[in-house]
Amino acid sequence: MHQPPTPPDPRREPRAFLEHLYRTAVHRALPLHNTAPFLPPPPRGRTLVLGAGKAGGAMAQAVEALWPAEAPLSGLVVTRYGHVPPRPPGLPARIEVVEAAHPVPDAAGLAAAQRMLSLAQGLTPDDLVLCLISGGGSALLTLPAEGLELQDKQRINRELLASGATIAEMNCVRKHLSRIKGGRLAAACAPAPVVTLTISDVPGDDPSIIASGPTVPDASSCADAVAILSRYGIAVPGAIMSLLEQGALETPKPGDAVFAGHAVHLIATPQQSLQAAADAARAAGLAAHILSDEIEGESREVGKVHAALARAVARQGQPFARPCVILSGGETTVTVRKPAPGTAPGRGGRAGEFCLGLAQALQGQPGVWALAADTDGIDGVEDNAGAFVAPDTLARAAAAGLKADAHLQRNDAYGFFDPLGDLLVTGPTHTNVNDFRALLVL
């Protein structure tokens, strides 16, 4: 991801300007720019690197570039298929990086998790474990609880993703159905100290939620997991439910001695990236307002709320004077509707559905442009990062025979914006600080 050399003029090129803000936000979260201040000195023994997440490949390369050449360094990191960045010329490979499936786990992720637990065996207090954790790690680092098959975990994951559950709720369930998440990886590394470097993709930047916190204490309980499964009507095998109800699948808790001497560092956060985008907007002569980096809720409804705000600014100059940029982040959700009989399932992710709800509620408001995109470059499971909205979006859609209502009904934002040429396609960005939304009001 390279920033344009000079920012486009927001009045002449609003769409290009919004993309510039997105790329600025992503650039701020790249691991190579953020890792050095948090690296500990090499230990007397060896350094083992373990990690999982969409930024895993880039985080591993950052450590390889920054770690002293003479100090031992080895390990294993798992990232999403297609998310390993090109290796910089002359940078020796010291950490193995493998790929697996996201958002639904596969056998490759299972094999990686098993290997990590094996690598953690036999460590001493003189050794050091560096854990590189970023969003997506929950699916990539999958090791089902005893008695739970990979197929069960895959089904539960799919149903959670379609349920509208928050990331905290999903990861609570994942932690209690795992042998590696929820602090269990740290426990496996004992007695070696563990230093976790993490890139936050969750509202509130709670390390126990990022990638289901494989190296940090977990304050949630088996009872919480049971309540979430019940709330969303998700079934688990009877024997596993009994273990959950008995508390037999409990995770290591805050205060557990296994975490003594461990350290956790947030090396990149959504707020930092939103701030970088705000600074870029101000450098172009526009006021910039960050609503929040913790916005959650149904994507289409969050889009409607943003539309109401943008219309108030455009029409009344309240609560912000125009011209301005309005920024927000967080992690919205999509409750997937069952398609009508004979209708193909829709395509699209959170960002696209936000944009569809936004466009519908903006009603063609003059002077308002918007971009919503996932900072990892992939909106859901599609090949786009997100989508653009312009004052003429609905008019162009009508001319093309596209109805926003019908596309929303079947969660088909991709099918709406693709024919309009309004998808943002970046490819994997090699980082992940979650949703990025920018509204430009001129």
Side-chain angles (χ1 to χ4, degrees), residues 331-384:
E331 181 158 18
T332 60
T333 51
V334 173
T335 303
V336 178
R337 275 70 173 168
K338 287 186 179 179
T343 305
R347 298 173 62 193
R350 301 190 307 262
E353 184 132 337
F354 168 91
C355 287
L356 200 45
L358 177 79
Q360 195 176 40
L362 279 173
Q363 302 169 31
Q365 176 64 49
V368 178
W369 286 261
L371 166 65
D374 198 314
T375 52
D376 67 3
I378 305 294
D379 187 21
V381 296
E382 303 302 337
D383 59 3
N384 66 310

Side-chain angles (χ1 to χ4, degrees), residues 27-337:
H27 190 264
R28 174 63 180 84
L30 292 176
L32 189 58
H33 306 152
N34 299 290
T35 300
F38 303 105
L39 284 177
R44 283 182 292 184
R46 63 193 183 96
T47 299
L48 176 67
V49 177
L50 303 174
K54 296 176 191 173
M59 294 179 84
Q61 286 185 7
V63 172
E64 288 172 330
L66 297 166
W67 200 250
E70 69 282 2
L73 186 70
S74 64
L76 177 66
V77 169
V78 59
T79 192
R80 183 177 178 168
Y81 291 119
H83 281 244
V84 179
R87 177 161 291 276
L91 180 65
R94 299 196 272 172
I95 303 165
E96 183 183 356
V97 179
V98 297
E99 297 175 304
H102 177 279
V104 177
D106 68 355
L110 178 66
Q114 289 171 325
R115 286 183 60 199
M116 283 187 207
L117 286 187
S118 296
L119 288 169
Q121 300 305 304
L123 293 168
T124 75
D126 287 337
D127 299 322
L128 169 69
V129 180
L130 267 182
C131 279
L132 310 179
I133 302 298
S134 57
S138 277
L140 295 164
L141 199 64
T142 189
L143 194 59
E146 293 286 353
L148 192 67
E149 299 298 323
L150 177 60
Q151 302 95 293
D152 296 320
K153 202 77 181 286
Q154 290 170 325
R155 175 189 57 77
I156 293 165
N157 235 43
R158 287 192 192 97
E159 292 181 9
L160 281 169
L161 288 164
S163 71
T166 68
I167 186 64
E169 290 174 324
M170 285 193 279
N171 285 359
C172 172
V173 172
R174 289 162 168 165
K175 283 186 272 196
H176 288 90
L177 298 181
S178 172
R179 281 180 281 152
I180 196 167
K181 293 192 266 282
R184 292 187 178 94
L185 178 57
C189 293
V194 177
V195 174
T196 300
L197 307 183
T198 186
I199 294 177
S200 173
D201 72 324
V202 302
D205 303 331
D206 183 346
S208 74
I209 299 176
I210 303 165
S212 296
T215 61
V216 296
D218 174 39
S220 72
S221 66
C222 284
D224 294 328
V226 170
I228 292 162
L229 290 166
S230 173
R231 185 176 308 137
Y232 294 103
I234 296 171
V236 298
I240 296 295
M241 180 56 81
S242 295
L243 291 172
L244 285 173
E245 290 172 342
Q246 295 162 20
L249 298 179
E250 206 48 272
T251 47
K253 299 301 174 207
D256 193 308
V258 75
F259 301 108
H262 291 199
V264 180
H265 302 291
L266 285 162
I267 70 167
T269 67
Q271 180 64 26
Q272 291 169 350
S273 285
L274 291 173
Q275 189 59 56
D279 292 344
R282 290 168 189 141
L286 295 171
H289 308 281
I290 300 173
L291 298 182
S292 172
D293 67 337
E294 297 188 41
I295 291 177
E296 298 181 86
E298 194 70 25
S299 292
R300 63 181 70 189
E301 301 303 325
V302 175
K304 291 175 186 176
V305 173
H306 279 64
L309 176 61
R311 281 167 64 87
V313 172
R315 292 175 163 195
Q316 299 151 21
Q318 292 180 338
F320 310 127
R322 60 183 177 88
C324 70
V325 170
I326 301 167
L327 299 161
S328 73
E331 181 158 18
T332 60
T333 51
V334 173
T335 303
V336 178
R337 275 70 173 168

Side-chain angles (χ1 to χ4, degrees), residues 337-347 406-412:
R337 275 70 173 168
K338 287 186 179 179
T343 305
R347 298 173 62 193
H407 283 267
L408 266 177
Q409 284 291 332
R410 60 177 185 271
N411 304 107
D412 189 29

